[in-house]
Amino acid sequence: MMTATGNRPDWFFGEMARIVADAGVDSFVLYDSEILRRKRAAGEVPELLAAGLRAAEVDEARITVARNPGVAVERMVERACPGDLLCFLGAVQGAGLLELVTAELRNKGFGREGGR
């Protein structure tokens, strides 16, 4: 799951995406953050990251774009399986990222006695 601050030059997003793609990540959930957008249009940051992933030859089926951090967490947890390592590049304000992820994982059945 990743986003970036919008006040970076366009090339930055492609380079960030390439580095993450080269790290062997299986699935990407890109999200928009109103707070981090910094004069960019809504959806522009995750689309720049997605373009960078495509340029790094990441299959489109491995890329999901979410409209906000909460939806991104939902999409990430939907894909999660026991033993997966979840990585976050970005930030959220207000409801903490840890709380969002923990709630979604519990909703999916992770962490319950006798569960996953």
Side-chain angles (χ1 to χ4, degrees), residues 71-92:
V71 173
V73 168
E74 290 172 8
R75 298 301 166 264
M76 181 188 61
V77 171
E78 285 171 0
R79 295 178 172 192
C81 295
D84 282 355
L85 174 64
L86 307 178
C87 299
F88 310 91
L89 299 172
V92 295

Side-chain angles (χ1 to χ4, degrees), residues 3 6 31-48 65-68:
T3 194
Y31 67 97
D32 199 16
S33 171
E34 186 176 337
I35 294 164
L36 297 178
R37 207 176 284 151
R38 311 254 171 96
K39 298 183 182 179
R40 294 224 180 232
E44 187 176 355
V45 168
E47 287 302 332
L48 286 166
V65 176
R67 68 181 179 275
N68 61 52

